[in-house]
Amino acid sequence: KRGNGWYYLLKGGDDMRQRELSIWLRGLTIVVGVFLLIACIFLAPVIAQEAQLALPEHQGAAWWGTLAFLYVTALVGAVALIEAFLIFRDIGRDRSFTQVNASRLRTISALALLDTVLYVAVFCLMAALKVLSPGSIVLLGAVILFGAAASAAAAALSHLTVKAANIQDDNDLTI
């Protein structure tokens, strides 16, 4: 029975905690991905419609521009989720501290920064068009702050993962 994954899931132990963490993180990533997909299908057209109503003289451009922006930023987020999923898979395989995971974290950091820059550009565009409402200021501000924080956190974790991978490699060579 010890070879059965369910035994470890129910019994626990240090090895299980790592696998269990990996399962939970991957599950959470899938749930976030599903919500992102649902938002793209149902919420993005509603937001595009609101943009069209806010800019009646540029109806077509407002609709398509908003939709394109939302889908591009969703694609960036989806790629970051895939990278995170791969990191979480490696955690379950006891390969947390590798150069590959450090590279994935750098990619996540760059993607979060890209999303942040795109939302800053939209904020500036909306301000120039004088269509910023208090709600959009709060929402865009929150997205920008979250994106900047996620980018900084992923960059810091990437640096720490590189250091840990180097120490692990040195220890593997010693033994």
Side-chain angles (χ1 to χ4, degrees), residues 72-102:
V72 165
T73 58
L75 180 63
V76 170
V79 172
L81 283 173
I82 291 167
E83 291 289 322
F85 185 90
L86 295 173
I87 291 170
F88 302 151
R89 182 197 63 194
D90 282 353
I91 288 172
R93 294 178 178 173
D94 198 25
R95 294 188 309 212
S96 303
F97 302 114
T98 64
Q99 298 295 337
V100 172
N101 282 341

Side-chain angles (χ1 to χ4, degrees), residues 14 28 35 54-55 60 65 95 99 102-103 107 117 119 121 134 136 142 145 148-149 152 163 165 169 171-172:
D14 287 341
L28 182 62
F35 277 113
L55 296 166
R95 294 188 309 212
Q99 298 295 337
S103 176
T107 301
V117 168
Y119 275 94
S136 61
L145 287 174
K163 296 286 188 184
D169 289 345
N171 287 341
D172 289 346

Side-chain angles (χ1 to χ4, degrees), residues 149-170:
S151 179
L157 286 172
S158 174
H159 174 75
L160 294 173
T161 302
V162 166
K163 296 286 188 184
N166 290 340
I167 291 170
Q168 189 171 12
D169 289 345
D170 289 345

Side-chain angles (χ1 to χ4, degrees), residues 7-92:
Y7 172 82
Y8 287 111
L9 183 63
L10 297 174
K11 190 71 174 159
D14 287 341
D15 189 38
M16 184 46 232
R17 288 188 194 122
Q18 189 167 330
R19 277 197 219 136
E20 189 175 84
L21 174 65
S22 174
I23 290 167
W24 281 110
L25 290 172
R26 285 182 285 163
L28 182 62
T29 304
I30 290 169
V31 169
V32 171
V34 168
F35 277 113
L36 181 64
L37 181 62
I38 290 169
C40 285
I41 293 170
F42 297 108
L43 190 59
V46 172
I47 294 171
Q49 180 71 30
E50 290 295 321
Q52 191 175 18
L53 293 174
L55 296 166
E57 64 276 3
H58 304 290
Q59 284 187 0
W63 167 266
W64 289 111
T66 302
L67 214 50
F69 169 77
L70 292 172
Y71 288 152
V72 165
T73 58
L75 180 63
V76 170
V79 172
L81 283 173
I82 291 167
E83 291 289 322
F85 185 90
L86 295 173
I87 291 170
F88 302 151
R89 182 197 63 194
D90 282 353
I91 288 172

Side-chain angles (χ1 to χ4, degrees), residues 69 115-128 140 144:
F69 169 77
D115 249 4
T116 301
V117 168
L118 290 172
Y119 275 94
V120 167
V122 162
F123 186 88
C124 293
L125 178 64
M126 289 176 71
L140 287 171
I144 290 166

